[in-house]
Amino acid sequence: MTADTRPVIESATQDDLEAIAELWVRLARDQRDHDSFVRADANREIMRETLAAHVHAGGLLVARDEGSIVGFTSFSIERGSLALDATRGVLSNIYVEPAYRGRGVGTALLEAAEASLREQGAEVVILEVMADNKAARGFYERREYDAYRVAMKRSLGDPSENDTHSKEDS
């Protein structure tokens, strides 16, 4: 793929699953640098099964360069028990090999996923991004994604380490 050419974006097949699972593991490893709790290698097999379900449902796309998979995205229509005001598409994963970043691959994958979700009736797309992953947040913000929900965390380790009250107050 040269700087002038766009990646080939197409539906993934069952034959692609091992390669995509490996890319997912790389994604999960990268997210550990941003405080993700997901264990990459320990979840390889369950993710391969999850990705297989996405293939079956038509929610797994790959970016190819000369036949090699250089990125992927997985997505679905949200199915829940609550009545909502809008049909929501959920972008679960997007990953581009580092050597292909900055070349339009992520944008092409995102646009293809959005188009597929729109065809399936989605009115809005939601996704999660690690709070301190500035590169990913910037990528989505440049494509008009806005913050929609804020998740917060607190360690429940040794309570003495989290004691914010003065010992004199007891």
Side-chain angles (χ1 to χ4, degrees):
M1 186 173 103
T2 67
D4 300 345
T5 60
R6 300 263 303 165
V8 175
I9 307 298
E10 59 190 15
S11 295
T13 68
Q14 293 290 327
D15 292 339
D16 296 326
L17 286 175
E18 290 306 318
I20 300 168
E22 177 57 32
L23 292 180
W24 181 88
V25 167
R26 292 179 197 165
L27 168 64
R29 284 181 188 148
D30 288 352
Q31 293 306 300
R32 301 285 288 190
D33 292 339
H34 302 288
D35 292 330
S36 172
F37 295 113
V38 176
R39 294 172 46 214
D41 292 301
N43 287 298
R44 179 189 305 267
E45 202 49 41
I46 190 71
M47 277 311 301
R48 196 182 72 61
E49 292 171 16
T50 300
L51 293 164
H54 280 288
V55 167
H56 180 70
L60 186 60
L61 301 174
V62 294
R64 293 188 197 275
D65 180 29
E66 297 181 10
S68 296
I69 297 172
V70 299
F72 80 96
T73 185
S74 58
F75 53 91
S76 60
I77 296 292
E78 182 179 44
R79 306 276 185 228
S81 57
L82 299 176
L84 303 174
D85 288 331
T87 300
R88 300 192 305 192
V90 178
L91 184 71
S92 352
N93 296 289
I94 190 167
Y95 179 80
V96 175
E97 287 276 34
Y100 287 84
R101 293 178 188 165
R103 298 165 69 179
V105 177
T107 299
L109 283 164
L110 182 61
E111 289 173 352
E114 289 171 342
S116 181
L117 288 165
R118 190 177 301 108
E119 289 172 10
Q120 295 176 54
E123 300 164 80
V124 64
V125 177
I126 60 173
L127 58 88
E128 291 184 1
V129 61
M130 300 305 293
D132 77 340
N133 188 341
K134 292 178 181 163
R137 288 178 49 201
F139 172 80
Y140 293 115
E141 288 166 357
R142 287 188 300 277
R143 284 146 189 89
E144 301 180 4
Y145 280 75
D146 298 312
Y148 146 76
R149 184 183 287 175
V150 176
M152 300 176 80
K153 71 176 182 177
R154 178 178 186 270
S155 173
L156 296 178
D158 184 351
S160 66
E161 294 175 13
N162 294 322
D163 186 7
T164 58
H165 301 287
S166 167
K167 303 274 188 227
E168 295 172 5
D169 288 346
S170 13

